[in-house]
Amino acid sequence: MCGIIGVVGSNDTLGTLLQGLARLEYRGYDSAGIALVRPGQTWRARCASGTESVAALRVECEDAPTGFRSGIGHTRWATHGAPEAQNAHPHLDCSGAIAIIHNGIIENHTELRGQLEAKGHIFSSVTDSEVLAHLVEESRAAGLDLMEAVRASLLVVRGAFALAVMDANEADVIVAARRISPLVVGTAPGVTYIASDVPAILDRASAFYAVDDDEVVRLAPEGFRVIDLEGVPVRLHQLTIDWNLETAEKGGYDDFMTKEINEQPDALRATLLDRRRRDGTITFDEMRISDDELRDVKRVVLVAAGTSHHAALVAKYALERWARIGVDVDIASEYRYRDPIVEIGTLVIGVSQSGETIDTIQAMREAKRRGARVIAISNIVDSSLAREADAVIYTRAGLEVSVASTKAFVAQVAALELLALRLAQLRATLPPDDIDALFLGLKAVGAQVKTTLERRSAVAQVAAELIGARDFFFIGRHVGYPTALEGALKLKELSYLHAEGYPAGELKHGPLALIEPGVVVVAVVTDRAMREKILSNLAEVKARGATVVVVATDDDEAIGAVADYVLRVPATEPMFSPMVDIVPLQIFAYSMARGLGRNVDRPRNLAKTVTVE
Ligand code: M6R
């Protein structure tokens, strides 16, 4: 999940590349590099300085020669080869004229490298990507132009790629190609761009196009043309971009995470907007599956990763309770490889903020191949997931930049619960009045989230008092369980502390052995029906010396007697509670991370969009 940018025909090549890389850092930041290309000359700079890589590259480029109208840039998330300068992109061929940048994994790189070395090619990195530079070099030596050389090279490559290639012997041309890893083309008068995602070129290009799998694009200043791997011309799909650069800025907050946590009421409002007609029917703009088909769904399978998986777990409770449909929730990376059963009437729902997570895309493709109808829940309009699905429900949370997902979670839960209500409507499993009341309850969640956000400093105070703790268990029951999983994920990815989420009733089946003084147990106790059971679980951990933090509703006065710390939230319908209860847990994780001096927007070892398996 590296970031890719390229430009041809620009009067500000270096500025374009460095600005684009800064916007792409959330995709990976182990190292960064650029190559500037003009007739007869390829100039390259690379830096491996962790989260400071793009800044270091900027300094390195102060001595760059001027007058280059074309170039490519890359920010890396290491897969093959340590995060060191020699493994940073761009990689060059033996002559130093051809430069390539690559996102993805070349699965047969060992075999290809052996063949190329046997022909005399000298490698200077231990990456899988470098084989691409030498493969193109071979084809160029055989007399092919750059586009044909890239196409020929890709015929022998297995794996995933979004790549861009330049050659000083055919300057002012970039050839790019995609299989699985995302890639977009941007155009402006006299200048053409390529990027792994739109923000990198958002304020430079005026029109954007998605490259699909196995397509090869030749970019020149005057425009672009595209062929498939057989050499047949194809047209690109123009993208609808409904956000601007301002939405991608921090909006006056210290960091994107704070901005995005605070945007949750807006995200909820936008997700629910215009989704109920006057007659009470719940509607989705891009629901391209007929009502009859939806009514006849026999089973639902939700596939997702990370935070999106936790939103999917919440949806299981709602779909089963309201629509009376059996639901399985699968970790996307597991679904594809376990020979899943897809019977007639199976509806698969892929949930992904980015719509580009490769595990989720591949799981959806597998489900489709086996005959399932598929719906994408995506936050990014025209994402790969959205384009490949039979229907889409957009979460409309706005661009999420921070690696730790926050507003996407609440928007996903809202969208999925809305879908559950629609299915209940179609299947007549709930009385219309109940559906109306639930819809109104869902609309009220934004205000409850807002109230919870106003209590930010009380949560930060608890985090400050627990700053020395190293082990955390998050527990809950019913939908409090996925909330606990999400609270634990937030804490571990942001603060690098050990945090585990558990169903509260499961502690006594093993993890209780780990409870001792110093361990913190965070319990979600907002569901009255589950309260007594969780209090018993809390008694068990208290007896063994744990410090207890609870998320509890304003009206639960007695909870203070069992907890060392209470994080208060307004009471809500239990099925909606994850959207409210997660807020203090997000703030808690954020505050712990800040207290420990972590980079909250860019936690170590992670990337915002995971486009490798
Ligand atoms: O874009 P997606 O929703 O498909 O991303 C899935 C996960 O990679 C993502 O939620 C990840 O777990 C976040 N870092 C969690 O905060």
Side-chain angles (χ1 to χ4, degrees):
M1 54 215 144
C2 311
I4 280 181
I5 181 168
V7 59
V8 281
S10 172
N11 292 325
D12 180 25
T13 303
L14 192 55
T16 303
L17 296 178
L18 290 172
Q19 182 194 53
L21 288 180
R23 295 211 188 116
L24 288 171
E25 273 184 297
Y26 67 87
R27 292 185 65 91
Y29 33 78
D30 292 331
S31 58
I34 61 160
L36 305 174
V37 180
R38 64 181 165 199
Q41 188 187 8
T42 297
W43 184 87
R44 175 176 68 166
R46 301 180 294 174
C47 292
S49 310
T51 55
E52 299 306 313
S53 294
V54 175
L57 186 66
R58 196 176 285 278
V59 174
E60 182 106 0
C61 287
E62 282 169 6
D63 297 331
T66 54
F68 287 85
R69 291 168 49 79
S70 304
I72 50 180
H74 186 270
T75 174
R76 179 170 185 247
W77 184 76
T79 55
H80 294 71
E84 295 165 355
Q86 62 147 359
N87 293 326
H89 299 220
H91 293 291
L92 304 182
D93 71 327
C94 299
S95 73
I98 297 171
I100 69 109
I101 50 176
H102 167 231
N103 171 29
I105 293 174
I106 304 301
E107 287 172 359
N108 57 336
H109 72 101
T110 310
E111 173 194 328
L112 292 171
R113 189 183 180 114
Q115 292 164 5
L116 288 159
E117 281 176 338
K119 288 182 181 169
H121 288 265
I122 309 290
F123 281 72
S124 52
S125 79
V126 291
T127 64
D128 56 323
S129 308
E130 195 185 341
V131 294
L132 294 165
H134 298 278
L135 283 171
V136 173
E137 180 183 9
E138 279 284 305
S139 297
R140 292 286 279 148
L144 299 180
D145 66 21
L146 190 58
M147 189 181 207
E148 279 303 311
V150 171
R151 186 174 77 84
S153 305
L154 294 179
L155 293 175
V156 299
V157 156
R158 283 201 313 273
F161 50 78
L163 57 90
V165 187
M166 296 197 76
D167 183 346
N169 299 307
E170 196 179 331
D172 262 1
V173 167
I174 292 177
V175 176
R178 169 198 174 159
R179 180 182 298 156
I180 299 174
S181 305
L183 203 57
V184 290
V185 170
T187 57
V191 193
T192 311
Y193 304 88
I194 190 85
S196 47
D197 27 13
V198 174
I201 52 174
L202 187 60
D203 58 344
R204 304 259 176 185
S206 47
F208 303 86
Y209 303 83
V211 181
D212 271 328
D213 279 354
D214 291 337
E215 291 178 347
V216 183
V217 191
R218 180 184 187 276
L219 301 103
E222 64 280 8
F224 65 91
R225 64 186 173 86
V226 193
I227 53 172
D228 63 19
L229 281 186
E230 265 79 60
V232 178
V234 286
R235 289 173 67 86
L236 295 190
H237 166 84
Q238 185 164 1
L239 293 170
T240 313
I241 302 300
D242 62 354
W243 31 270
N244 57 35
L245 202 56
E246 217 182 296
T247 61
E249 299 295 344
K250 290 179 192 161
Y253 294 104
D254 287 351
D255 41 66
F256 283 107
M257 188 177 176
T258 307
K259 173 176 176 274
E260 288 158 13
I261 287 174
N262 280 288
E263 285 173 344
Q264 291 182 111
D266 293 339
L268 285 167
R269 194 177 317 118
T271 300
L272 298 176
L273 197 71
D274 290 336
R275 280 184 162 157
R276 182 166 163 267
R277 287 203 212 116
R278 286 230 169 101
D279 66 1
T281 308
I282 290 164
T283 60
F284 300 101
D285 314 342
E286 306 214 26
M287 179 51 70
R288 299 179 291 253
I289 300 178
S290 72
D291 285 355
D292 285 345
E293 248 187 290
L294 284 177
R295 192 178 293 111
D296 289 345
V297 165
K298 303 276 178 298
R299 186 164 156 261
V300 170
V301 180
L302 290 138
V303 290
T307 288
S308 299
H309 175 248
H310 300 153
L313 285 170
V314 175
K316 175 182 167 74
Y317 293 86
L319 283 159
E320 290 188 344
R321 163 102 39 107
W322 295 339
R324 306 307 298 154
I325 305 177
V327 178
D328 293 321
V329 184
D330 254 298
I331 295 270
S333 56
E334 287 297 310
Y335 180 80
R336 183 179 172 208
Y337 297 105
R338 65 167 175 74
D339 200 8
I341 296 165
V342 176
E343 288 165 333
I344 292 168
T346 301
L347 175 69
V348 173
I349 306 175
V351 188
S352 171
Q353 186 283 129
S354 60
E356 303 293 348
T357 297
I358 197 60
D359 292 329
T360 310
I361 291 174
Q362 296 289 39
M364 273 189 61
R365 284 181 183 157
E366 182 64 22
K368 258 189 124 168
R369 202 179 63 75
R370 288 173 185 252
R373 296 289 264 162
V374 295
I375 297 180
I377 308 283
S378 169
N379 194 38
I380 301 293
V381 174
D382 276 341
S383 64
S384 301
L385 198 76
R387 281 183 286 117
E388 290 187 29
D390 295 311
V392 195
I393 301 174
Y394 287 117
T395 43
R396 304 176 186 160
L399 195 64
E400 194 179 67
V401 173
S402 183
V403 167
S405 194
T406 51
K407 61 178 178 173
F409 174 78
V410 298
Q412 285 167 342
V413 172
L416 285 161
E417 295 200 337
L418 208 53
L419 178 62
L421 289 177
R422 176 64 187 143
L423 290 173
Q425 229 164 27
L426 287 167
R427 296 158 66 85
T429 45
L430 279 181
D433 285 353
D434 288 10
I435 294 177
D436 287 350
L438 285 165
F439 183 81
L440 292 178
L442 193 50
K443 280 189 88 169
V445 171
Q448 291 157 340
V449 168
K450 197 160 181 291
T451 303
T452 312
L453 287 168
E454 284 158 10
R455 301 168 181 182
R456 177 181 193 103
S457 56
V459 181
Q461 181 60 38
V462 175
E465 288 182 34
L466 294 174
I467 199 75
R470 290 290 169 268
D471 288 298
F472 292 79
F473 285 85
F474 286 69
I475 60 170
R477 284 176 178 246
H478 196 260
V479 290
Y481 162 49
T483 308
L485 287 175
E486 177 60 6
L489 176 60
K490 287 291 89 83
L491 185 63
K492 75 181 95 174
E493 73 178 322
L494 289 168
S495 67
Y496 321 150
L497 295 170
H498 167 239
E500 289 184 53
Y502 261 97
E506 189 67 10
L507 274 190
K508 58 186 176 292
H509 297 288
L512 203 56
L514 294 169
I515 304 296
E516 60 185 5
V519 174
V520 179
V521 176
V522 182
V524 180
V525 200
T526 53
D527 183 352
R528 283 281 159 172
M530 294 288 125
R531 187 176 183 280
E532 295 312 316
K533 296 274 180 227
I534 303 189
L535 290 196
S536 305
N537 303 136
L538 286 180
E540 290 155 14
V541 300
K542 271 222 87 121
R544 287 155 181 92
T547 300
V548 171
V549 180
V550 297
V551 180
T553 53
D554 290 331
D555 55 358
D556 190 348
E557 284 162 17
I559 198 77
V562 293
D564 298 295
Y565 302 96
V566 185
L567 310 178
R568 294 283 178 186
V569 292
T572 183
E573 143 75 32
M575 210 65 93
F576 304 148
S577 62
M579 293 174 274
V580 179
D581 298 352
I582 196 57
V583 175
L585 300 184
Q586 292 166 344
I587 298 169
F588 181 74
Y590 172 92
S591 308
M592 291 294 287
R594 285 292 294 251
L596 292 165
R598 313 295 193 222
N599 182 335
V600 288
D601 281 339
R602 281 185 269 152
R604 70 183 183 196
N605 304 339
L606 301 180
K608 180 65 183 163
T609 307
V610 184
T611 52
V612 291
E613 282 192 76

